[in-house]
Amino acid sequence: MNKDDLTERFASILRRADRRARERRNEAIPTIYIVMSTCGLASGAAETKQAFEEALSDKDIGARIVPVGCLGHCYAEPLVVIDHPATGFPPICYHQVTVARARRLVRSYLEKGDPVFEYVLGALEENDLIPAVTDFARFNLEQRLVMEHCGRIDPDDIYQYIAAGGYSGLVKALCLEPEELIDEIETSGLRGRGGAGFPAGRKWRLASTAKADGKIIICNGDEGDPGAYMDRTILESNPHQLLEGLAICAYAVGADQAIVYVRAEYPLAVKTIKGAIKSAEGVALLGSTILGTTFSLNVSVFQGSGAFVCGEETALIQSIEGKRGMPQHRPPYPVEKGLWGRPTVVNNVKTLSSVPPIIKNGTEWFRGSGTETSPGTAIFSVVGNVKHPGLVEIAMGTSLRTLIFDVCGGIPNKKSFKAVQIGGPSGGCLPESFLDTPIDFDSLTQAGAMMGSGGMVVMDEDSCMVDVARYFIDFTQKESCGKCTFCRIGTRHLLNILDRITNGEGSEQDLELLGTLSEDIKLGSLCGLGETAPNPVLTSLRYFLDEYEAHIKENRCPAHKCRALTAFYIDLEKCARGCEVCVGCCPVEAIFTTRGRKKAIDQKLCVKCGECAVVCPPEYDAVLKVSPPELAPTLERTPDGK
Amino acid sequence: MLPTELRASLAEQIASVDHPRELLVDVMFAVQDHYGYLSDQAVEEVADLLGMTPLEVEELATFYTFVYRHRVGKYVIHVCDSVICWMDGHESLVEHLERKLEIKMGETTPDGLFTLLPVCCIGYCDRAPAILINKKVYGPLTPEKIDEILAKLQGEA
């Protein structure tokens, strides 16, 4: 392989990218970056964009609108960054830019130079005029290795990625021998980000030494864990970094074919990655004879169509082969015999996206973040009861407390923290005493949870842990492919038991049965789905046994969540005469007027939907919820009561 | 019967790959888009195109959430029943939809407009509670927003 020729070819692409970037900046007209990934679009980014376009043409102002991917700040969408060099301000990030705010920004900032401070989230650079976003914990505690460019570049424009340093990792990789490259990844200590944390370098080496032709790389983007959406965001916001990683991996193991497996539920991700493949092929960074070398890589996209178990690597391979996505016995491992019987490397989106920066900046740099055994960063989608939900990339080893309370703002509505569920249905619920656990593969597994693919669900005091365990078992029970008896029938029985407990019909033997059955399911299942399915039950039994006991022995749900164990009633002291709001909202007409012209709930009719508690005006706040239900005072309907 | 044009284009795609079976999902979707759902006849046509048995197609058709073996409405509403949606009021959302459309989960309205189906996590947890209508995501939802969306779709139909 001629290195000079290779670097020269890339240099010419880079020059083109730089020229485009310079031209953009030199025009000295404002640039409006609008977050147009799925989260932005769902919050109305398309309408915002239209409003900008209309307002700009009304005022006859020249400005460029650039759609970008996700910055990870889901709580502040639609997010807009305006770079208006003529005013002397640095690029400013605005939050919740609705149509009205967009018009106001055009009128005030773009036309008159007033940056409208009340909409400002922060400036993207340090300056003397406006507080910078880096002053906030959310920004300065994050460490962006993988998501560095997400939300900063237009995902549909390959040149923006190249101008930001993209694809130089691939060029560097192509100048190395495959063997050296694998050494590099192995030394970096990169572990698979799909959940189990298998060393990526070792997987690559196994595949590279397998003696067979037509090796295949599969990027696993079948993200299905409840509460996880990191892969979607990366695919939508910076598809080229993934493709670059894919190409480096393919070169290292000697593959000439790659498949990106994406869920059909992510239409924008599918569209973006397909477009990215096309544009990379257009400049010879993918496809045949990449950058004039002998290395070729044909990349295609496969859409999964709604089956959680397909995220398991052997099931995923079955699914691509056009069979039911059911896990297979390992060994042989996919690295020996995978898709169509060929050696296959299956790596997660985040694993592959970590590769280019490692190659570009070196293993020392990568090991500079994170811990000894889990170097680098972890990407989490932190959702549930936190003030600032969204996507966060932090160094491994950061404590759960820092992540939840400092980076994500803690628990909203003055509630207190109860548990955090990590690792989706395979993970576990950790209580407050574990908040100082460092986030890395080994510490989390030790605590009974697991890294998982990165979904983190934070729960406040209103969450019932028995109900949460029931929810997760309901999920795995539905998603079990049915191959193994223990997974198929065992989870069904777990669900029945948990249903009984949440319905107030549990017995003390149920607790023991939950424990033993869980262990049996772990032992009797073939793949990760069954092996880890009971984890939510086991961890909640371990850390929240008192809640199980309250349900069984006292008929009480401490969080007031389980419907059968709670009741609503109206406090006559607080209820206002003549107010009828709750009566109208009750779907079953269970609310009647008492003799004193106040309201009461007919417990026999009430379905406990809670609507009345929502609509009762806050100045009265008269609807109360109690558990056990016997605590609710019962009022008989008067004959004339409606 | 499939229109000749669609049949020909699918046959062409199938002929261009090494393993026809890997296109099964794509072919099922193309045929489903044409008929609205995958009828028994459609299953046979797909099998015929790919040189598989109808049973092999049936195996896959019943495996995936987004392949419909029964007639569905013009708008298929997939209600996410994942943990975040569930914490944020999934149950009352379902109740509201069922009341409003006067159907249960898994049913289609008599006018053939709406079908209600559950779906496991669709990855829009930042927009919980969320639903997909014909694969387009809507959220975060409230009863009022649902009424608005349904009224709009009814108007368009």
Side-chain angles (χ1 to χ4, degrees), chain A residues 367-402:
Chain A
R367 283 192 160 277
S369 314
T371 65
E372 181 59 32
T373 51
S374 305
T377 56
I379 302 179
F380 282 103
S381 52
V382 186
V383 286
N385 307 125
V386 283
K387 269 193 197 135
H388 300 149
L391 234 52
V392 184
E393 183 173 359
I394 40 140
M396 294 267 190
T398 308
S399 74
L400 285 167
R401 190 186 299 278
T402 309

Side-chain angles (χ1 to χ4, degrees), chain A residues 501-524:
Chain A
I501 299 178
T502 49
N503 275 321
E505 295 153 5
S507 68
E508 285 185 46
Q509 287 110 309
D510 283 341
L511 289 180
E512 200 192 321
L513 194 56
L514 278 178
T516 51
L517 183 55
S518 292
E519 293 302 334
D520 292 342
I521 294 171
K522 280 179 156 226
L523 290 171

Side-chain angles (χ1 to χ4, degrees), chain A residues 187-230:
Chain A
T187 339
S188 77
L190 175 67
R191 295 173 69 170
R193 275 7 184 197
F198 189 81
R202 201 183 316 157
K203 200 183 247 186
W204 291 18
R205 188 174 305 282
L206 287 168
S208 81
T209 49
K211 285 187 183 58
D213 288 333
K215 293 174 190 174
I216 301 170
I217 312 293
I218 298 176
C219 166
N220 185 350
D222 189 51
E223 177 176 58
D225 275 5
Y229 57 97
M230 305 75 52

Side-chain angles (χ1 to χ4, degrees), chain A residues 38-40 42-43 74 77 223-229 232 236 261 263-267 302-310 319-326 340 342 383-385 457-460 463-464 467-468 470-472 474-475 478-479 481 561 563 587 607 609 611, chain B residues 17-26 28-29 52 55-67 78 80-93 95-96 99 118-128 132 134-140 143-145:
Chain A
T38 304
C39 46
S43 329
C74 304
E77 301 284 4
E223 177 176 58
D225 275 5
Y229 57 97
R232 183 195 86 206
E236 286 174 0
Y261 191 108
R263 310 176 72 187
E265 289 92 319
Y266 293 169
F302 186 93
Q303 289 190 55
S305 335
F308 172 71
V309 70
C310 288
S319 150
I320 297 178
E321 289 181 353
K323 299 177 192 149
R324 277 174 91 92
M326 287 170 124
W340 312 117
R342 302 191 202 150
V383 286
N385 307 125
V457 185
V458 180
M459 288 175 262
D460 67 15
S463 308
C464 167
D467 206 22
V468 168
R470 193 198 64 83
Y471 165 77
F472 278 106
D474 179 55
F475 178 86
K478 282 181 190 150
E479 293 300 325
C481 78
K561 185 89 185 174
R563 281 191 186 190
V607 290
C609 66
E611 285 293 319
Chain B
V17 296
D18 297 340
H19 307 277
R21 197 172 174 151
E22 74 184 66
L23 289 182
L24 180 49
V25 172
D26 295 341
M28 280 197 300
F29 276 135
M52 296 166 67
L55 185 65
E56 287 172 315
V57 175
E58 176 79 1
E59 264 191 353
L60 216 65
T62 53
F63 186 74
Y64 290 117
T65 310
F66 290 95
V67 179
H78 277 107
C80 180
D81 63 5
S82 184
V83 59
I84 304 296
C85 292
W86 171 79
M87 282 167 71
D88 285 344
H90 162 79
E91 278 178 357
S92 44
L93 189 79
E95 279 165 14
H96 184 80
R99 221 170 24 237
V119 65
C120 78
C121 187
I122 46 174
Y124 296 105
C125 316
D126 50 323
R127 296 274 154 264
L132 294 175
N134 290 356
K135 293 199 188 162
K136 185 172 181 250
V137 61
Y138 293 86
E144 294 76 43
K145 269 197 203 160

Side-chain angles (χ1 to χ4, degrees), chain A residues 66-304:
Chain A
V66 180
V68 292
C70 180
L71 272 166
H73 296 247
C74 304
Y75 60 94
E77 301 284 4
L79 267 173
V80 168
V81 174
I82 301 183
D83 184 8
H84 193 356
T87 57
F89 289 112
I92 302 172
C93 187
Y94 292 95
H95 61 98
Q96 278 122 355
V97 183
T98 53
V99 170
R101 287 186 173 192
R103 290 201 194 109
R104 168 93 190 274
L105 282 169
V106 171
R107 224 168 38 233
S108 303
Y109 188 32
L110 295 177
E111 196 183 22
K112 300 183 187 126
D114 162 20
V116 203
F117 284 100
E118 60 264 41
Y119 306 159
V120 171
L121 183 69
L124 289 189
E125 292 161 14
E126 299 275 344
N127 66 95
D128 301 330
L129 305 163
I130 296 173
V133 286
T134 42
D135 294 342
F136 306 138
R138 178 57 178 253
F139 284 82
N140 67 28
L141 289 174
E142 272 199 77
Q143 234 184 63
R144 296 204 160 193
L145 270 51
V146 176
M147 290 178 41
E148 187 189 351
H149 304 302
C150 289
R152 312 263 170 161
I153 56 172
D154 179 354
D156 295 327
D157 183 356
I158 187 172
Y159 288 109
Q160 292 198 19
Y161 177 60
I162 295 171
Y167 284 105
S168 60
L170 175 63
V171 174
K172 198 172 162 193
L174 290 174
C175 294
L176 296 170
E177 290 302 316
E179 192 59 27
E180 295 173 289
L181 204 52
I182 295 175
D183 284 343
E184 189 92 349
I185 293 298
E186 214 159 28
T187 339
S188 77
L190 175 67
R191 295 173 69 170
R193 275 7 184 197
F198 189 81
R202 201 183 316 157
K203 200 183 247 186
W204 291 18
R205 188 174 305 282
L206 287 168
S208 81
T209 49
K211 285 187 183 58
D213 288 333
K215 293 174 190 174
I216 301 170
I217 312 293
I218 298 176
C219 166
N220 185 350
D222 189 51
E223 177 176 58
D225 275 5
Y229 57 97
M230 305 75 52
D231 295 352
R232 183 195 86 206
T233 304
I234 294 175
L235 284 163
E236 286 174 0
S237 306
N238 193 1
H240 285 290
Q241 188 162 331
L242 167 68
L243 291 175
E244 187 184 356
L246 201 62
I248 295 173
C249 173
Y251 172 70
V253 303
D256 57 4
Q257 199 191 335
I259 297 170
V260 183
Y261 191 108
V262 193
R263 310 176 72 187
E265 289 92 319
Y266 293 169
L268 184 62
V270 172
K271 188 173 146 254
T272 313
I273 191 81
K274 279 187 172 167
I277 293 170
K278 214 171 215 162
S279 51
E281 284 171 350
V283 288
L285 286 165
L286 286 181
S288 58
T289 61
I290 291 173
L291 290 171
T293 63
T294 52
F295 170 54
S296 300
L297 182 66
N298 174 28
V299 186
S300 56
V301 174
F302 186 93
Q303 289 190 55

